[in-house]
Amino acid sequence: YEVQDGMLCLLDKFANKIKEDEGNTRILEEIVQNILNSAKEKISETSTIIFSSSTVVPILYFLKNPILAKIFIQHSYPRQLTSGQSYEETLLGKILAKSCLPQSDLGPWDFFQQPSGQPASVHSRTEAQIWAGLESVHSVAHMVFNSLFRCSEEVKNLTLTWLGECLSANKGRGKMWTTQMGPLLSGGYASDGFMLNLGSMLLRFCSPITEDPKKMNKIDASYCDKSSSTNIPSVHMKDLHTETCLITLEENDQQVNSSGPYNFPTEIFFMAHKALDLGFRTVQEKFTKLNQELNRLQSAYRDANEGGGGQVAEEIQTRMEESMSKFLSIKAALLEPATMEKQTSLVAATSSWLVKLATGSTCPWPIEPLKDVPPVLSCVPEFIVENVCEHILLVRRFNPAHFEQSGHRLPEIFDMILVFMGKPIWLKNPHLRARLAENLECLLPYHENQSMPNILGNFHRQALFQDHPARLHLCVAILHVFVSIEETGQSVQFEQKFSYRRPMYDVIKYIWTLDEFKAKFREMAEMAEQQIESENPPLFLRFINLLVNDAIFLLDEGLNYMRTLQEHEAERDSWRNLSTQERSENERQYIHTGQLARYHNLMGRETIDVLELMTSGIQAIITHPTMTDRLAAMLNYFLKTLTGPERKSFKVKNLEKYSFNPGEVVAKICQIYINLGESTNFLSSVSADGRSYSPELFGWTEAVLLKIGRADLVSTVMEIARKVAESSTQQAEEDEMFADAPDEFLCPIMSILMVDPVMLPSSKKTVDRSTISRHLLSDQSDPFNRSPLTMDQVQPDEALKSRISEWMNSKKGKR
């Protein structure tokens, strides 16, 4: 069970003697390869659970002598270097293939059989056994590769080449279609277990580097740019130059100049990240889909039992058992504790490395003045940032206590998020910046996993938001990425942006509870008010504008889907008379509509929650003429729809199933009215809304508030109603007074009497200032000819303004 020094010495002399006598190693290769083939069979037959260093003792004799080690590594080269799966059939591959996961997604899945019939304690024991076996695999693999790296420069070069070729041959694992098609397309690549173990083994080599900032400084980002070169002996990875990078340089930009040689830390760093990209990321995607599939099966199982059970329920139960076995097996493979710890170390060290690449410092605050774009960022593949995002998300979902165990490394990750999330000059991809915002939500202190009790509390996560020196920059960064998703001009699907914004809402809600963040938001709002006519619309104003846009779309779509569901429920009984195909199609459409309704209702409520939050502490900029008309019209419309005669159009059998809580939305809308109730501008806009406001509006609202048990809001809402009614009376008098206004006094866009006319420089059209400033929040172009336009370019028409004012005064004088 142990390597004997005497035998090592004998083999060393034997190898050297044969080479001297024969002048080559052909005979020695034949002898050694037979021994290695025998060792490969033994390793292949050994179970993951009982795998240990003693399993590989025979091959350790061949790793010290350079001649034998060269034969060993060459023996592990597959005949077809471009076949990813063939690496798994080699001797090194047989070690790395030891896993609780099968070689194919089709199985067999050997662990967690009939999981629903076993208590949690049994699952925990099985998981612990798997973890012990996997840690042995990773330890042995590290020992073998470490011996190869240290044996001689030639063997080290051959070993790094093996790793580079293996990663290149399996690059197809990371393609989207491979994940979507499953076993149909993944058969030609190494298995999930192999790639996870390869990543874990490389993480062990990274560990001394990621724990020492001085060693991290040795990593040369230009390595990726040179991965197409065949004449640089220190570059063993292929095709990294084809990867999408953080930024793209223009032809006239300063280019990156470096031709190596590249050191071992640089190579092993990028190899580890690529292995995580091809292994951990793809397996986590499967894991997430499997989790969603389990939720769907559980829902279908409940529905089947409610319908009487029978064979359908049994079939669903069988599928649930199979899916749960897969789920628990993948979970055990992903969450092996030693690997988790080393992966977090890599993620944290990578974060600091990225911050230093972008800013030149590991503590770059403040970053707002920094405008330089280091060319080296054009060499850093996006998958480096993706790996950070995937790991943080995995920890958040399945082991949030790990954040506290690695708490001393969290500030490094927090720094990277703050630096890159709001800086498109350093990270071009809006999807990735949105994912960083999602990571920020993952770090919120209140996340726990009920199945894994956390005795460590949330001290380190709290410290990020309460003690980090740059924590207040979070307000700017989160609003910037919120807005930039909309304005990027890149391929962000319309519906996808709402999913991206949901974790941002959670972050905003949390930091709003901290006084210093609330004060920072107020400061941003005041600055926006001062800069409202600057060349670029202020960030906070664009944020509020998008909140209103989102609320209008999401609430309206949610109501439309609820109306459609009501129609479907009324028709379902008649579907029995349809053909099987038609009935199935209608049922699928009904289920799909329900899913869409739930999504839009959830997102609409989240958006209204944040809008109510903002109005509770900030009023002036929200009730500015640029915003207040649209906001008031939106609130009036949904209040009328949810409390007026139409409100029964959305009733279905199970409101909770579709996350539809109209009473809660009404209460939130009423709270917004109350928050803004002291603003004359807002009250005037409410009353001027001819589409939805009527004297009956707040009477309907009062009845609904009493019905849902929110009598506490009634008196204040009715006071708002009184003020709005007074404003409405005054508005009606003015409308009648100015009804015969000359056409030149009317805004050509909104057909309203202009109060502050301005001329657009390109089209020479004159419009009201509030109208064009509202338009420019969403579209910075002249609405009449699409020429570029910013607010600072509009020209006040003082002469026309004076004539309008004189005409209005004369009208008032006649009364």
Side-chain angles (χ1 to χ4, degrees), residues 101-106 109 172-187 189-193 195-196 278-294 296 323 326-328 330-331 334 390 394 397-398:
L101 305 181
Q103 284 196 308
S104 164
D105 287 349
L106 299 176
W109 297 80
R173 280 178 53 89
K175 305 295 184 185
M176 186 179 297
W177 58 79
T178 307
T179 306
Q180 290 175 344
M181 296 299 289
L184 293 176
L185 277 182
S186 62
Y189 302 115
S191 66
D192 289 336
M195 292 306 296
L196 290 179
L278 299 178
F280 282 84
R281 180 181 62 81
T282 56
V283 176
Q284 282 172 228
E285 287 176 4
K286 291 180 184 179
F287 193 37
T288 301
K289 289 180 180 178
L290 192 56
N291 196 19
Q292 294 167 348
E293 174 67 14
L294 271 170
R296 284 193 292 269
S323 296
K326 295 178 184 179
F327 179 86
L328 292 172
I330 296 175
K331 176 171 171 280
L334 284 173
E390 288 292 339
L394 178 73
R397 285 176 175 166
F398 299 103

Side-chain angles (χ1 to χ4, degrees), residues 553-781:
F553 174 81
L554 292 165
L555 290 174
D556 203 34
E557 285 292 289
L559 291 175
N560 287 336
Y561 285 125
M562 293 305 295
R563 189 181 286 113
T564 304
L565 279 173
Q566 188 188 64
E567 293 169 1
H568 283 337
E569 286 191 352
E571 298 168 354
R572 279 186 89 188
D573 287 342
S574 65
W575 292 350
R576 298 174 191 167
N577 303 322
L578 300 175
S579 67
T580 302
Q581 183 177 351
E582 287 177 309
R583 188 166 64 250
S584 296
E585 180 58 36
N586 284 351
E587 283 293 340
R588 276 195 296 272
Q589 186 61 44
Y590 172 66
I591 292 170
H592 183 60
T593 302
Q595 291 169 341
L596 290 172
R598 185 175 185 276
Y599 172 80
H600 287 86
N601 289 334
L602 276 172
M603 290 305 303
R605 198 162 69 239
E606 293 273 355
T607 309
I608 282 289
D609 284 351
V610 174
L611 192 58
E612 188 272 322
L613 205 65
M614 289 292 152
T615 59
S616 69
I618 298 167
Q619 287 85 38
I621 187 68
I622 297 175
T623 57
H624 189 277
T626 302
M627 282 299 309
T628 187
D629 287 347
R630 283 187 68 250
L631 176 61
M634 182 267 282
L635 296 173
N636 287 349
Y637 171 73
F638 287 113
L639 200 60
K640 174 188 174 185
T641 304
L642 294 172
T643 65
E646 289 184 53
R647 70 181 186 277
K648 294 184 180 178
S649 303
F650 316 108
K651 278 199 170 184
V652 295
K653 291 178 181 176
N654 188 347
L655 295 179
E656 189 176 337
K657 181 178 180 180
Y658 306 110
S659 298
F660 185 56
N661 191 334
E664 185 179 332
V665 176
V666 167
K668 287 289 182 183
I669 290 175
C670 287
Q671 191 60 57
I672 295 173
Y673 278 105
I674 294 168
N675 293 342
L676 304 178
E678 297 300 317
S679 167
T680 305
N681 275 349
F682 176 69
L683 296 173
S684 176
S685 294
V686 172
S687 63
D689 173 29
R691 179 189 178 195
S692 302
Y693 175 74
S694 67
E696 297 84 14
L697 177 63
F698 288 102
W700 296 332
T701 304
E702 179 184 17
V704 170
L705 288 174
L706 291 172
K707 185 177 180 180
I708 64 174
R710 292 305 306 270
D712 56 306
L713 297 176
V714 169
S715 60
T716 319
V717 168
M718 296 316 292
E719 178 60 21
I720 299 286
R722 184 187 64 77
K723 292 179 182 178
V724 170
E726 290 176 1
S727 177
S728 178
T729 302
Q730 183 181 346
Q731 186 73 43
E733 292 173 357
E734 290 186 357
D735 288 347
E736 184 181 350
M737 188 189 311
F738 304 135
D740 60 343
D743 287 346
E744 65 173 321
F745 290 178
L746 301 179
C747 174
I749 296 177
M750 300 297 293
S751 297
I752 58 171
L753 182 63
M754 291 185 285
V755 178
D756 189 0
V758 294
M759 188 175 71
L760 309 184
S762 174
S763 63
K764 304 300 181 185
K765 297 286 187 179
T766 299
V767 298
D768 194 66
R769 182 182 295 275
S770 64
T771 301
I772 192 61
S773 53
R774 187 161 54 246
H775 166 80
L776 291 178
L777 280 176
S778 303
D779 183 355
Q780 291 198 299
S781 66

